[in-house]
Amino acid sequence: MLEELRIRGLGVIDDATLSLGPGLTAVTGETGAGKTMVVTGLLLLFGGRADAARVRTGTDAATVDGRVTITDSHLLARVHDAGGEFDDGSDLALRRVVSSAGRSRAYVGGAPAPVSLLAELADRLVTVHGQVDQLRLTRRAEQLAVLDRYGEIDTAPYVDAFARWRRASDALAERTARASELRREAGLLEHGLAEIAAADPQPGEDAELAELVERLTHADALCSAARLAHDLLAGDPDDPASDSADAGMLLSSARRALGQVAGADAKLDELAARLDELAAAAADVAADLRGYGDTLDAEPARLEEVQSRRAVLSSLVRKYGDAEATVSAVLRWADSAAARLADLDVSDDALAALAAERDAAAAQAVALAGELTAHRTATAATLSAAVTAELGGLAMSGATFTAEIRPRAGSAQPGPGGTALGADGADDIEFLLTPHPQSPPVPLARGASGGELSRVMLALEVCLAGADPVPTMVFDEVDAGVGGRAAVEVGRRLAALARDRQVVVVTHLAQVAAYADRQIVVDKPPSGAARGGGGGGSSVTTSDVRIVTDEDRVSELARMLAGSDSSTAREHAAELLGDAARDKAPKQAAGRRKRK
């Protein structure tokens, strides 16, 4: 539920705070006073499109702050994941800032957040209905969505089946239409894979061969260096009588010298032990150096063999490697080519398998579409009766609402019976209105007036209330074109919706506002009282926002009724308030008992 809304620098609103609560809140005010800015602020707060033109003249940015109460576990987790923090466990602060340059920033629970997170919160917290929604209600896609929502119809299994059918159909059509082209591509891939398989390159082999070539090219120098190093460490094995001192002899002499005083000093004994380690290490290195030459195959034939292998690998790298130019890149190409080749199978068996997959998916989609149609047909009858009954209470007692389900018209015929399928099923829908018994049913898009559309939408919302878990509903002048007794019934229906949720209505009708639990007035200042702003001696109109109660509320209703605060208008306003209070009292009591 939305607890509070603060708007700064938005349109005609300089700085206004709206304290909201459960039940029905009416927002009223003269035309042009800025009532719509309240809805604009709400839309911004919940992820709506930012428009720099809405920023108040002379202001750097428009800011909308809100405080909502959240109990939805999914939303609680999303806010925590985004780094937001709650107050008192469930109260969440939201903020949206739109600069005069058009830049937008969002904050959730004190933490910067993407605007998309505000929109995600809105999906579960608030719905906004306005005259644009009335026009959207005339579109068949929206009508089908309303029907599915009312019947709580799960379309996901069908949507999955339909997607599988489309994928299988597209794959079969591509392979059939491009068979020759795909065969040529497959031939090239097969040739490349065969060439790579014949060479059988191993991961890292190119680097190993490069090292081996370097060693074989310098084999004589390497062997000479190893022989000299060995002789310096352990002496010349071919001249054992040589009196040249080597490292091994010197280490032995040093060890014998320390051995003569062994045990006299622990520190010197420790150094003697280290000499033993050096002597052992020198002997190991000398042994390795002596055998090093045996590891080098210095024969020219070996070098030629290695160079030939490198040439084979280099050819593969040039053909199939990427910018990395390594054998590893060639092996990656081979893996990718093998996977692509599997997809390019255009043999009769492969085409038959694809056709079977397509037909199976089509049959499943058709079956699920039939289940949707049956469910929708039953739901349409229930919805038609419920909305017709609501219209009777909205001063349209002779009107009939009909949700008509028809087979979809189209050329897609994927399965048995030539059923035409679409992304949302095999059904077309049309909402029809029969304004009075003597008139024929006409589509909402062509035959309904603005007032009739307002009442049809409100009737639908009343019927959908049980299927819609959103705790806050906002109506922006959906009572346009309505007056008299119908206006009273609109107020009564909004009050009924507000028994179980928070409802905010922007209205110009006193009959509707009288049913509100609280009334907020958006006022323009008297002529000539505009506030300064924008520089150059210009002034910018400012609206104030205030809650009216008691006599102030009677005065506002009188203004809405007669345009003045005359005694007659005040009497009529007081009568409206009294009638609305008596009308709501037993229902509110019943609602409280039901909640207990």
Side-chain angles (χ1 to χ4, degrees), residues 419-444:
T419 305
L421 298 184
D424 49 15
D427 310 308
D428 270 340
I429 189 173
E430 192 157 42
F431 284 175
L432 305 172
L433 181 66
T434 306
H436 51 84
Q438 289 74 36
S439 64
V442 291
L444 287 182

Side-chain angles (χ1 to χ4, degrees), residues 109-297:
V115 173
S116 58
L117 179 56
L118 292 179
E120 185 178 341
L121 295 175
D123 287 341
R124 294 180 180 236
L125 293 178
V126 63
T127 56
V128 179
H129 303 277
Q131 295 181 29
V132 173
D133 298 272
Q134 295 177 19
L135 296 177
R136 191 161 56 237
L137 187 60
T138 63
R139 302 172 190 164
R140 295 186 181 183
E142 183 69 17
Q143 293 173 0
L144 191 61
V146 166
L147 182 72
D148 288 345
R149 202 171 119 213
Y150 179 73
E152 299 181 357
I153 298 173
D154 182 11
T155 61
Y158 168 79
V159 170
D160 290 342
F162 178 79
R164 286 196 301 273
W165 165 69
R166 291 299 305 171
R167 287 194 299 269
S169 296
D170 291 345
L172 179 60
E174 180 190 19
R175 290 202 198 182
T176 303
R178 299 176 55 219
S180 298
E181 178 185 344
L182 295 177
R183 286 192 181 96
R184 285 194 297 272
E185 184 183 352
L188 292 174
L189 293 174
E190 288 171 348
H191 173 77
L193 288 171
E195 189 175 6
I196 293 171
D200 191 25
Q202 301 301 311
E205 184 182 359
D206 47 349
E208 293 175 4
L209 291 178
E211 292 178 4
L212 183 55
V213 165
E214 191 70 15
R215 290 171 59 196
L216 294 176
T217 301
H218 302 88
D220 291 341
L222 292 173
C223 286
S224 297
R227 175 62 182 265
L228 177 59
H230 171 272
D231 293 350
L232 291 172
L233 283 174
D236 184 354
D238 296 330
D239 187 10
S242 174
D243 57 359
S244 299
D246 56 67
M249 293 173 57
L250 294 174
L251 287 171
S252 296
S253 298
R255 183 66 186 86
R256 284 195 300 274
L258 295 181
Q260 295 176 4
V261 291
D265 184 0
K267 180 65 175 178
L268 198 60
D269 290 344
E270 181 182 337
L271 293 174
R274 290 172 62 188
L275 276 176
D276 289 339
E277 294 173 1
L278 282 175
D284 288 342
V285 172
D288 290 342
L289 287 170
R290 184 171 185 176
Y292 173 77
D294 298 335
T295 65
L296 288 176
D297 186 354

Side-chain angles (χ1 to χ4, degrees), residues 511-523:
Q511 296 94 324
V512 173
Y515 275 87
D517 298 299
R518 70 191 55 78
Q519 184 170 350
I520 296 172
V521 178
V522 182
D523 272 338

Side-chain angles (χ1 to χ4, degrees), residues 1 46 68-70 75 94 121-127 470-472:
M1 185 175 71
F46 288 103
V68 295
T69 302
I70 294 180
L75 294 185
L94 306 177
L121 295 175
D123 287 341
R124 294 180 180 236
L125 293 178
V126 63
T127 56
V470 175
T472 299

